Amino acid sequence: MPYIAALPAGGNTVSAPARSVSDAAHNPLDLERDHLAASRDALRAMREDAEALDIRDVAANWVNAAILRAEIDARIKSLADLVHTPLFFGRLDYRESRQSFHIGRRHVHDADGDPMVVDWRAPVSQPFYRASKKDPQDVALRRRFGYVRGELTAYEDEHLSDPDEEEKASRLLQSEIERPRVGPMRDIVATIQPEQDEIVRAGVEGSVCVQGAPGTGKTAVGLHRVAYLLFTHRERLSRTGALVIGPNSSFLHYIEQVLPALGEMTVRQATVAELVAHVPVRGTDSTEAARVKGDARMAEVLRRAVRAGVTVPQEPCMVVRGSRRWRVPPYELAELVEELLARDIRYGAAREALPQRIAHAVLVRMEQAGEAPDDRVQDAVARNAAVKAVVKECWPAVDPARLVLRLLSDADFLAAQAEGVLTDEEQKAILWAKPARGPKSARWSEADAVLIDEVTDLVSRTASLGHVVLDEAQDLSPMQYRAVGRRCTTGSVTVLGDIAQGTTPWATASWEEALAHLGKPDAVVEELTLGFRVPRQVIAYASRLLPEIAPELREATSIRESPGDFSVRACAQEELTAGVVGACREALLHEGSVGLIAAEARVPVLARALDEAGLPYLAPGTETSTDARLTLVPATLAKGLEYDYVVLDEPAAVVDGEPDERTGLRRLYVSLTRAVSGLTVLHSAPLPAALAF
């Protein structure tokens, strides 16, 4: 039977050492506390050993010394003992080997090298997440620990090999899931569920797409997956790198502490806009212009534009070496150009190959004349002024920004490249009304930057990373998918998203289509519908919108025992703002974070009301800057965020703030599902029909 010493307010974890099961026969909680203290001492010793390393006479030069020093500093940082982050959160007792392993966020060993805590990513830790009564995986006992502010306060045992013990839901697990959220997102390493663990531990060779309803933990699964891959394939990914891509900076601020808490300090995080930041973005597109620029057909228009400058030579190439003159006729030059075009290799690579091809033609003539030229002669001929002149004329260099500028400014050039691809109306939509004088003076939009990135890759190959995590992917355009795909052509990707939360005019219609644009058509699509975060009453209420916004998706369910605090209040229009402020006061009486979500147009009004009421509030992504627990969130930035209590202002205004009703209802669905413990909806205008009582 489970034993609970004291129900904790919550906790964190890490794993530990091998020792006899019989050691825990007396005062188990005291023994576990002793082991926790010993593990902290061992971690401290590991850090001191790293700090004491002397590399003055080890490195061959200052460059190697700097690299080694950086690696040691990163190691020291990863060994920090966070006071409120317990070193282990579980324990496994194996039946056959009669060994016990504590499971935690990082590996900790004693002075002899024996494990005190086993990393949660190690193979021996896997049964902690997957073992069950039906499949015990040689586990006799699984123990979970409860903590309060870093102090071990409770434990709970499951005897998986005991057929007489009834299988029950873990109260400590439920307590950890429902623990109040304050500040940035935290890891879920202590609460990963079997279906989540299967995705987390999927091999690095394969790509995975996770369709996840709100609260199913898809973001956490993606972050823990990259942490697992870095642990399992450290050498490989240290060379090729890993990247987490999020929808906006607020979201990245929210998740930025998860990987460091798991000991991973080197994973870069960025938005798509930051990946393609070849030019400063100062302009905005109309909805139609952005839709056309984001369409996958633009890739063909750009490919044509890049090659539009290639011409067939009309004059021979005359190379002078010493007293001899070597002539390559126009027809042969044309054959070389046509061959390179037919191979469809990157523009820059072909431009570099052309002078070598011409030089080779010259060397053939030299050999026919009885000379014996070598590779050095060919390189010299390739650098000859006459050869360079031919290349410059028939295969000119391409500046990506200037090419896109010309395409968007010159109606005739655009028409020539878009013939049969874009309609006349679509061409007019993306053509600039006032052509810029140059790339530096142009008012580039985010969609323009993606086009420039496409051209940049057409000219020279984009470097590929080992693994990319793409979160909130449902809002990307096909051209943005292509930009991300270029960063993992030889690596793998974890795509995370929810079709029902797509709120852009070009939102993903199906994952099959999105994965094709990404260049990963064979990726496995997994669907998560079991929620761990959103209370069951809240997810049930929000799911009323699914038949209108994503009828093909299954409704999510919640395992949370607590139904959550949920209410929908109607107010007179003149009383709405005061009612919202009052609801925020009520929410702040509870422990945890509070998010006030409102349509963009209502944010200034609510900001003034909060100031007048003396309620301090923050902007999304700044939750760690002060002790304030209330965040004023525009509905457009709410995606991916979560708060213990959410106050939602005027749902009709959220819907009306979008270009069409379906997008507005999707934005409302996102806003409704940000709550972890409670949701209060206040409205003066009629609710959407699906949400009306």
Side-chain angles (χ1 to χ4, degrees), residues 188-455:
I188 63 165
V189 68
T191 61
I192 295 174
Q193 299 300 293
E195 64 271 25
Q196 295 175 325
D197 192 62
E198 289 182 10
I199 299 172
V200 167
R201 296 177 190 266
V204 71
E205 296 81 11
S207 293
V208 179
C209 175
V210 182
Q211 158 62 42
T216 54
K218 56 184 176 295
T219 295
V221 165
L223 294 174
H224 286 68
R225 173 160 163 71
V226 74
Y228 170 78
L229 293 177
L230 285 166
F231 175 85
T232 310
H233 306 279
R234 179 74 63 188
E235 183 177 351
R236 174 176 174 178
L237 291 182
S238 65
R239 295 195 310 269
T240 56
L243 172 68
V244 175
I245 302 175
N248 52 57
S249 58
S250 296
F251 177 83
L252 293 178
H253 282 308
Y254 177 64
I255 68 170
E256 65 183 356
Q257 296 303 318
V258 174
L259 288 172
L262 297 173
E264 301 301 340
M265 308 289 181
T266 60
V267 180
R268 181 187 167 204
Q269 297 182 351
T271 63
V272 174
E274 290 169 341
L275 289 182
V276 300
H278 304 287
V279 292
V281 173
R282 297 191 294 264
T284 56
D285 285 314
S286 67
T287 299
E288 178 60 15
R291 185 191 66 76
V292 176
K293 290 177 182 179
D295 194 294
R297 293 174 296 160
M298 284 300 299
E300 173 60 21
V301 175
L302 294 170
R303 191 188 74 83
R304 293 180 182 180
V306 167
R307 291 164 166 258
V310 178
T311 59
V312 176
Q314 301 299 317
E315 299 293 332
C317 178
M318 196 69 70
V319 177
V320 178
R321 282 187 59 82
S323 60
R324 302 294 299 271
R325 293 162 60 89
W326 307 99
R327 181 179 182 272
V328 183
Y331 77 87
E332 190 170 346
L333 294 174
E335 289 176 355
L336 295 176
V337 171
E338 295 292 347
E339 180 194 355
L340 289 172
L341 284 174
R343 290 185 60 192
D344 201 27
I345 61 178
R346 278 178 169 74
Y347 188 90
R351 191 172 190 272
E352 292 176 358
L354 182 56
Q356 290 290 336
R357 299 295 179 87
I358 297 173
H360 178 72
V362 172
L363 260 66
V364 169
R365 287 163 171 74
M366 289 181 176
E367 290 171 348
Q368 291 172 345
E371 296 189 17
D374 56 18
D375 290 344
R376 291 175 298 177
V377 174
Q378 180 168 327
D379 290 338
V381 173
R383 296 193 300 269
N384 184 274
V387 174
K388 287 183 177 180
V390 171
V391 173
K392 183 177 181 180
E393 178 183 356
C394 68
W395 207 291
V398 168
D399 179 281
R402 289 189 179 277
L403 181 73
V404 174
L405 177 64
R406 182 186 176 192
L407 193 70
L408 300 177
S409 303
D410 186 334
D412 293 336
F413 184 63
L414 175 60
Q417 312 314 318
E419 183 179 2
V421 180
L422 302 180
T423 65
D424 292 342
E425 291 73 19
E426 289 173 327
Q427 293 176 38
K428 291 177 182 177
I430 65 175
L431 198 64
W432 287 352
K434 294 183 179 179
R437 289 174 294 180
K440 291 184 178 179
S441 62
R443 293 186 62 81
W444 299 107
S445 68
E446 288 190 4
D448 295 334
V450 177
L451 300 183
I452 293 172
D453 190 71
E454 179 84 19
V455 174

Side-chain angles (χ1 to χ4, degrees), residues 589-612:
L589 295 176
H590 300 280
E591 183 182 2
S593 58
V594 179
L596 170 54
I597 302 178
E600 196 90 39
R602 286 276 295 164
V603 169
V605 175
L606 295 172
R608 287 194 297 271
L610 293 174
D611 288 334
E612 292 170 1

Side-chain angles (χ1 to χ4, degrees), residues 561-576:
E561 294 180 355
S562 169
D565 297 329
F566 172 64
S567 64
V568 179
R569 305 176 188 174
C571 305
Q573 184 174 2
E574 63 275 11
E575 298 174 352
L576 177 62

